[in-house]
Amino acid sequence: MTVVSVGWALALSPGAPYRPVDAAALVLAAVSPLSLLWRQAAPLLALSVTCCAIVVNAAAGFDIGFLAWPAWIALFTGFAVGGAALRAAAAVFGVLGTTGYAVFDRDVPSGALPNVAFTLVFAAIAGELSRRRALAAAAQERRAAESDQRALTAERLLMQERTRLARELHDSLGHTVNVIVLQAGVGRRVFAQNPDYAHEALTTIESVGRGALGELDRLLRVLQPDDRTASPAPFAPTAADLEQLVDRVRATGREVELRMDGELSPACARTLYRIVQEALTNAVRHTSTGRIRVEIAQVGGRVQADVVNEGDVFAQPVPGRGLVNMRERARLEGGELEAGPVEGGFRVRAVLPASAGVTA
């Protein structure tokens, strides 16, 4: 546009009453379109420069030439990208530029002013329509982005719920299967010599199996809820459940010592129960002898749960699903978990906030 504007000025041969084209006219012809470089960043500045160029050009006695076009483009931009204040200012500058041209130009054609006024109104309306179209497109993009974000959030929540349910199944059923296998092995070995003990082992297997089926049914109803039945209540273990858990391990022939200061609070009872359950499962799965100590106590503002599998030689644990699940449970409650060999055995220690642990 700058090349066209300067070329237009050089090609003009205006007669009286206009002045011949000189350096000042060429500067005005170049400055006006060059100001459009800032029409997006500073639209009011671009409009003021283009309108001032028209007024100065007319006051200096030069023909308007190409200078009206940059002013119309700047006016369009002011209405297309600006707010209410900018649009009002753009309208004022458009009127002032047109008035200055009409006042100072030496030879305004009789039909020029209506045409100029129509072009100004057309540029303003086109800019307003462009602004509204851009706002509508931005709103549509925003709605699409919000919809995508909601979908991602729902998918993330679904994955978290699936992970939680998988963790529940692993901890509950894994422990149950291990107890059943151990009890079946004990019953098979003593069946001939001690049928009463074998019968007791079968009874334990039946009880543990029924409990596992109930747990599995509860989780499946969470995955596939039936509108005709109430949603199952989440598993909320008590101190009695922990005692029963320990008794099941004792029934396999292992010595288990349980010491708990206080009652489990509902806020964190399930986390502590599942951690102790997984620690006991690992103990009976990886070792066949030795005492297992379970201690749960409040220490200051924290609740500490220790499960120690007594023995001589233990290697560093290989990170598996069980350890990952225990650490994740502790992390979700704002606590931490350590697992590894210590002097005299292998220890799993979970430390959780007291507000979500045990109550005296």
Side-chain angles (χ1 to χ4, degrees):
M1 292 191 68
T2 303
V3 171
V4 171
S5 181
V6 173
W8 191 309
L10 290 173
L12 283 178
S13 298
Y18 295 111
R19 287 175 50 186
V21 175
D22 56 16
L26 296 179
V27 169
L28 290 172
V31 167
S32 181
L34 282 176
S35 67
L36 296 179
L37 290 172
W38 293 275
R39 72 187 188 95
Q40 293 287 343
L44 194 59
L45 174 64
L47 181 60
S48 63
V49 171
T50 55
C51 290
C52 287
I54 291 177
V55 175
V56 172
N57 182 83
F62 300 116
D63 185 47
I64 189 171
F66 190 76
L67 294 181
W69 287 94
W72 292 334
I73 294 174
L75 180 65
F76 166 86
T77 304
F79 275 84
V81 304
L86 181 58
R87 297 198 301 276
V92 171
F93 272 102
V95 172
L96 291 177
T98 303
T99 303
Y101 163 71
V103 171
F104 295 110
D105 192 86
R106 297 183 179 183
D107 185 18
V108 179
S110 58
L113 289 180
N115 290 336
V116 170
F118 173 79
T119 306
L120 288 175
V121 173
F122 179 83
I125 293 175
E128 177 66 19
L129 293 177
S130 176
R131 183 183 69 86
R132 294 184 179 183
R133 185 170 61 251
L135 289 176
Q140 184 175 0
E141 291 180 1
R142 186 168 58 254
R143 287 192 297 270
E146 291 174 354
S147 177
D148 292 343
Q149 185 62 37
R150 285 194 298 269
L152 289 174
T153 301
E155 184 177 356
R156 184 166 57 250
L157 291 175
L158 179 61
M159 291 302 298
Q160 291 175 353
E161 182 64 12
R162 287 176 176 174
T163 302
R164 185 188 69 80
L165 293 175
R167 189 181 301 120
E168 290 284 329
L169 283 173
H170 172 271
D171 293 350
S172 178
L173 299 186
H175 167 78
T176 301
V177 170
N178 274 276
V179 170
I180 289 175
V181 169
L182 291 173
Q183 287 280 8
V186 171
R188 178 181 56 82
R189 288 193 297 271
V190 304
F191 186 80
Q193 295 81 11
N194 192 348
D196 291 337
Y197 190 87
H199 182 271
E200 183 181 346
L202 290 174
T203 302
T204 302
I205 289 174
E206 181 183 9
S207 175
V208 172
R210 290 184 185 277
L213 288 175
E215 183 77 3
L216 181 60
D217 180 66
R218 185 183 64 82
L219 291 175
L220 289 177
R221 279 188 287 144
V222 172
L223 288 172
Q224 295 179 335
D226 188 349
D227 293 336
R228 294 171 297 177
T229 60
S231 300
F235 178 52
T238 62
D241 294 312
L242 198 57
E243 288 279 2
Q244 187 178 18
L245 174 66
V246 170
D247 287 339
R248 287 202 297 264
V249 178
R250 287 178 181 144
T252 64
R254 294 295 294 271
E255 180 184 359
V256 183
E257 178 184 313
L258 173 63
R259 188 174 65 195
M260 182 171 57
D261 297 336
E263 290 292 331
L264 292 174
S265 69
C268 198
R270 183 168 57 181
T271 298
L272 287 173
Y273 180 89
R274 293 303 190 196
I275 289 175
V276 172
Q277 182 183 58
E278 181 63 25
L280 290 174
T281 301
N282 289 339
V284 298
R285 180 167 48 189
H286 296 297
T287 61
S288 58
T289 60
R291 184 178 60 166
I292 303 173
R293 290 186 289 108
V294 180
E295 299 177 358
I296 301 176
Q298 182 168 329
V299 180
R302 312 285 282 178
V303 171
Q304 181 174 297
D306 286 336
V307 180
V308 180
N309 185 18
E310 295 182 352
D312 295 329
V313 179
F314 287 92
Q316 287 292 337
V318 177
R321 189 169 298 164
L323 284 176
V324 171
N325 284 349
M326 287 192 290
R327 286 198 175 97
E328 181 65 10
R329 288 182 183 279
R331 184 189 67 81
L332 291 175
E333 293 294 337
E336 56 188 14
L337 183 135
E338 298 176 356
V342 295
E343 184 178 356
F346 187 94
R347 183 185 67 189
V348 174
R349 168 171 289 179
V351 181
L352 304 175
S355 58
V358 296
T359 56

